[in-house]
Amino acid sequence: MPLHVAVATRAFKRYSTYVGATLAGIFTNCVFGVIACFVYIEVWGQSPDAGGYDVTDAVTYVWLGQAMIMTVAIWGGGTPDDLAQRIRSGDVVIDLYRPVGILGWYLAGDLGRAAYHLLTRGVAPTVVGGLLFDLRYPADVVTWVWFLAALPVAVTVSFGLRMLAALTAFWLLDDLGPRMLLGFAALFFSGLTVPLVILPGALRDVAMVLPWATFLQVPADIWLGKRTGAEVAEGLAFMLGWAAVLLVACAYVLRRAERRVVVQGG
Amino acid sequence: MADAAVDYYRIASLWVRSSMAYPASFWMMAIGSFLMTGLDFVAIWVLLRNVDELGGFGLTEIGLLYGATGLGLAFADLLVGRVDRLGQMIRLGRLDTMMTKPVPLLVQVCADEFAPRRFARVAQAGIVFVWAATYVDWSLPRVLVAAEMLLSGAVIFFSLFVALACVQFWTAEGTEFANAFTYGGNQVTQFPMSVFPAELVKALTFILPIAFVNWYPCLYLLGREDPFGLPKVLQFASPVAAALCLGAAVLAWRFGVRHYRSTGS
């Protein structure tokens, strides 16, 4: 366990060296947040309870979305990208003979990365959004606790999906295609483009049970108080369920992939 | 100029061949980028299921705005999409290598990693534009304004890509900062300007002239009054805005190259 904590801490530090990139990223998040807010204010101004949200919920949702992009790595990135590169270059061999499981090692690194992105690109745009617009905050301490507990689970679900895409590099050599398709699915089904709650009927029902719903929609509904009591527990169980399924799938694919490794050169 | 185009074509074809080396990945990427850019329009469609119009504009009118800005960005991205990696080329020392070659530097930088999948973005925006155009009451002046709009839109985004990439001559971390203006500009112009506050619209007209990519010419194509009451002459001014942007971008690029000192590591 302390080893994984050390891996996570290193990942946190590694990302924290790029101060300029972080500031530029925060600026970009804010620009996109402001644009979306004006559009949502217009929509909810005409249709004040679309998807069961009021205009304050909708505007808050925009900033939660901006905060999650990098934290949950909605578009991809994070440690699975490093692994994919190591598969292409053959360095993955070193990972395979380390006396530590690959999955745990990379997951720890990704959680460290997520912690850094939460504290910078999660918190900063939310603060800016709060200064520019009227936002809704969690009603009590318990809600805060549940929301914060949901975040590492969301990162783990996202990690599982990104890892599966990265592992295709063992077969395809180039994992850009799968990564892009995954990014496309995540962008829409996470609810980043539009909140899942305003999708039409059947599409909404499907989107709500897919793993991407854990990225933004479920945590946002906890934050906004749309889920209370048993519904919070239900939401967290849903997230934990996807996290477990995806990690098991990763472990299985990884075992199959290990047999494919051919050490070149020498 | 013709030489530069030939050089560009040669470098680009090398990259096309390289990206076809992994066909499975190529097709997934092409389909992926087609769908990914299309999702923005699906999102607008979802929003318009909840309301009749946005800022006084219906779905087909927004489709025209969306298609026009999408095509502008797609053409610019097709030609110079990788100029935003300038910082990376500097860090890896590749820019120094390029400077020793007898091909204009900007051509080399822009043609680097030319990706044929970028045609997917052109196709997707084109489909929405053509669909929305069937709802326009066409006349000869409107056809001319439409042609001039698409050309100016591409030039404005092209200039933004190049000018913002110049920031990376000084700081290698400018990519995300540039995205706020290029992709952010595209995001803003996907919606009618009437959704935004008047100050923002004036800034996007007179400071960073992104509104000329589609908003003003589309007002003319749709025969609509300017909701902010700005002069009608702006509806024909896109080429002027594009020329100014291009001039600024060329100056920025020359200034950047002249002051560039390798990373020296």
Side-chain angles (χ1 to χ4, degrees), chain A residues 49-257:
Chain A
D49 62 346
Y53 279 17
D54 63 19
V55 68
T56 312
D57 291 330
V59 169
T60 308
Y61 184 93
V62 166
W63 294 99
L64 287 174
Q66 292 300 319
M68 293 302 188
I69 293 176
M70 291 304 283
T71 308
V72 183
I74 294 182
W75 276 352
T79 54
D81 277 16
D82 302 341
L83 180 66
Q85 210 172 353
R86 292 171 72 80
I87 294 171
R88 275 199 301 276
S89 68
D91 289 340
V92 69
V93 174
I94 300 167
D95 295 340
L96 289 174
Y97 65 58
R98 272 199 198 107
V100 195
I102 284 191
L103 223 43
W105 176 280
Y106 280 93
L107 177 58
D110 205 55
L111 286 168
R113 173 204 62 76
Y116 173 73
H117 280 146
L118 176 66
L119 292 177
T120 52
R121 298 193 53 179
V123 173
T126 316
V127 170
V128 173
L131 292 173
L132 295 174
F133 298 91
D134 190 18
L135 303 188
R136 180 156 288 142
Y137 299 93
D140 48 37
V141 180
V142 182
T143 314
W144 271 111
V145 171
W146 287 130
F147 175 77
L148 290 174
L151 293 185
V153 188
V155 176
T156 307
V157 173
S158 157
F159 170 83
L161 290 167
R162 284 177 283 136
M163 200 63 175
L164 285 175
L167 291 175
T168 61
F170 275 114
W171 287 269
L172 299 174
L173 286 178
D174 184 30
D175 67 317
L176 261 177
R179 225 158 71 187
M180 201 154 191
L181 281 185
L182 184 74
F184 139 70
L187 192 63
F188 189 76
F189 288 110
S190 66
L192 189 66
T193 32
V194 276
L196 298 182
V197 290
I198 68 162
L199 291 182
L203 185 59
R204 171 191 162 141
D205 296 341
V206 172
M208 287 300 236
V209 295
L210 293 175
W212 296 287
T214 65
F215 286 17
L216 171 58
Q217 189 64 57
V218 178
D221 282 343
I222 294 175
W223 173 292
L224 295 171
K226 300 290 166 193
R227 280 177 183 269
T228 48
E231 287 164 347
V232 174
E234 206 180 287
L236 285 173
F238 167 72
M239 296 178 74
L240 286 167
W242 268 119
V245 167
L246 287 165
L247 286 181
V248 168
C250 284
Y252 173 74
V253 174
L254 198 57
R255 233 189 16 246
R256 296 281 306 261

Side-chain angles (χ1 to χ4, degrees), chain A residues 17-22 24-25 27-28 31-32 34-36 38-40 42-44 46-47 50-51 70 75 121 172-178 180-181 183-185 187-188 193-195 198-201 203, chain B residues 22 24-26 28-33 35-36 39-40 42-47 49-56 117 171 173-181 183-185 187-188 191 194-197 200:
Chain A
T17 47
Y18 305 110
V19 179
T22 302
F27 175 74
T28 308
V31 168
F32 279 91
V34 169
I35 296 170
F38 285 124
V39 174
Y40 283 15
E42 173 82 17
V43 170
W44 266 269
Q46 290 175 49
S47 172
M70 291 304 283
W75 276 352
R121 298 193 53 179
L172 299 174
L173 286 178
D174 184 30
D175 67 317
L176 261 177
M180 201 154 191
L181 281 185
F184 139 70
L187 192 63
F188 189 76
T193 32
V194 276
I198 68 162
L199 291 182
L203 185 59
Chain B
Y22 303 106
S25 202
F26 167 78
M28 271 188 262
M29 263 193 288
I31 295 165
S33 48
L35 294 174
M36 186 142 32
L39 278 180
D40 284 340
V42 174
I44 292 172
W45 172 77
V46 169
L47 290 175
R49 280 177 47 89
N50 291 278
V51 291
D52 295 330
E53 41 183 36
L54 267 182
R117 68 163 181 278
T171 159
E173 294 170 341
T175 311
E176 281 234 57
F177 180 72
N179 284 350
F181 293 96
Y183 294 95
Q187 182 83 17
V188 163
F191 297 99
S194 42
V195 168
F196 303 107
L200 182 66

Side-chain angles (χ1 to χ4, degrees), chain B residues 75-263:
Chain B
F75 285 132
D77 177 60
L78 185 68
L79 284 176
V80 299
R82 272 295 145 248
V83 71
D84 67 349
R85 291 263 192 92
L86 187 66
Q88 199 185 23
M89 294 174 201
I90 291 173
R91 277 200 304 279
L92 297 175
R94 290 183 53 202
L95 195 74
D96 299 10
T97 324
M98 289 178 181
M99 283 178 139
T100 63
K101 292 182 183 153
V103 175
L105 189 62
L106 188 58
V107 169
Q108 290 188 61
V109 170
C110 292
D112 194 56
E113 287 182 42
F114 178 89
R117 68 163 181 278
R118 296 184 205 149
F119 284 106
R121 194 187 267 274
V122 177
Q124 186 275 326
I127 289 169
V128 176
F129 184 78
V130 169
W131 165 75
T134 59
Y135 293 89
V136 172
D137 190 10
W138 290 104
S139 63
L140 184 63
R142 281 187 177 161
V143 171
L144 292 176
V145 168
E148 157 216 288
M149 165 176 78
L150 295 180
L151 186 66
S152 308
V155 172
I156 292 173
F157 277 120
F158 171 95
S159 309
L160 272 179
F161 272 113
V162 172
L164 289 162
C166 293
V167 175
Q168 301 182 28
F169 279 116
W170 288 273
T171 159
E173 294 170 341
T175 311
E176 281 234 57
F177 180 72
N179 284 350
F181 293 96
T182 49
Y183 294 95
N186 177 239
Q187 182 83 17
V188 163
T189 47
Q190 283 176 1
F191 297 99
M193 288 287 140
S194 42
V195 168
F196 303 107
E199 300 79 34
L200 182 66
V201 177
K202 283 187 184 137
L204 292 177
T205 303
F206 299 112
I207 300 172
L208 192 73
I210 286 174
F212 289 100
V213 164
N214 64 349
W215 172 243
Y216 291 112
C218 278
L219 284 178
Y220 179 75
L221 297 184
L222 298 168
R224 300 189 60 134
E225 291 296 313
D226 188 324
F228 299 98
L230 291 167
K232 194 170 181 190
V233 64
L234 291 178
Q235 294 175 10
F236 307 99
S238 292
V240 180
L244 288 172
C245 286
L246 189 62
V250 169
L251 286 179
W253 179 260
R254 289 207 179 136
F255 186 78
V257 173
R258 209 174 309 137
H259 288 77
Y260 167 68
R261 305 146 188 260
S262 189
T263 45

